[in-house]
Amino acid sequence: MEPAPYCICTDITERALEAAMEHAEAFARGVYRDTHPWLVAAELLERCIAAGQSLPLVFASGHPMEFTHWALIADIDVQEFHHETRCEFTGLTAVNPIFRSLDSIALYPSAEQLHRETVEPVTIHRHYLDEHLIHPYAIAETPAFVRGDGHD
């Protein structure tokens, strides 16, 4: 399944990442929990499924924070009453060190910006991620290392 042009980027503690990796090894799916309801992310996943696309998830961790792993989201369960999101993913993969910097991924541009780039074939501006933009999550452009057209 081809990845969507956008992805979800989020921060994760090293302990939570280790737990997710253990769960993925035991059950072929990793689980990430957040105390913020990922309502828009859940809508994006539904849109991807309807379009026959996958929705990538890119994790950042450490001090200084950097991208460490990426996966494909299998399910997002939002419990609004409990203010919790449970995100299941598959295919957890380490990010190549050359792509680990947070500013290697840009926020996903607005519909108007994308239309302008299509009509006036020029990329105007990209806002790259930093530690403040990825909590609780950011909607970003799917990076080349996920799309498969970059160097792994």
Side-chain angles (χ1 to χ4, degrees), residues 85-152:
T85 296
R86 183 176 189 273
C87 178
E88 290 187 22
F89 56 85
T90 60
L92 190 64
T93 305
V95 172
N96 186 305
I98 65 172
F99 297 112
R100 287 192 168 188
S101 174
L102 291 186
D103 63 4
S104 68
I105 298 178
L107 284 173
Y108 194 67
S110 68
E112 295 80 11
Q113 180 66 29
L114 290 172
H115 176 67
R116 182 174 181 204
E117 290 176 7
T118 301
V119 174
E120 305 170 10
V122 61
T123 301
I124 303 301
H125 178 70
R126 291 292 186 266
H127 189 82
Y128 291 90
L129 296 180
D130 62 34
E131 290 188 29
H132 304 290
L133 293 172
I134 63 170
H135 185 79
Y137 67 90
I139 302 167
E141 292 183 309
T142 298
F145 62 85
V146 171
R147 291 191 314 261
D149 55 356
H151 301 284
D152 295 329

Side-chain angles (χ1 to χ4, degrees), residues 10-21 31-33 58-62 65-66 68-69 89 134-135:
T10 191
D11 58 338
I12 187 170
T13 65
E14 291 176 24
R15 183 175 168 205
L17 181 59
E18 288 174 14
M21 290 185 337
V31 175
Y32 172 72
R33 287 186 167 79
V58 185
F59 289 114
S61 187
M65 191 172 290
E66 63 181 8
T68 60
H69 292 80
F89 56 85
I134 63 170
H135 185 79

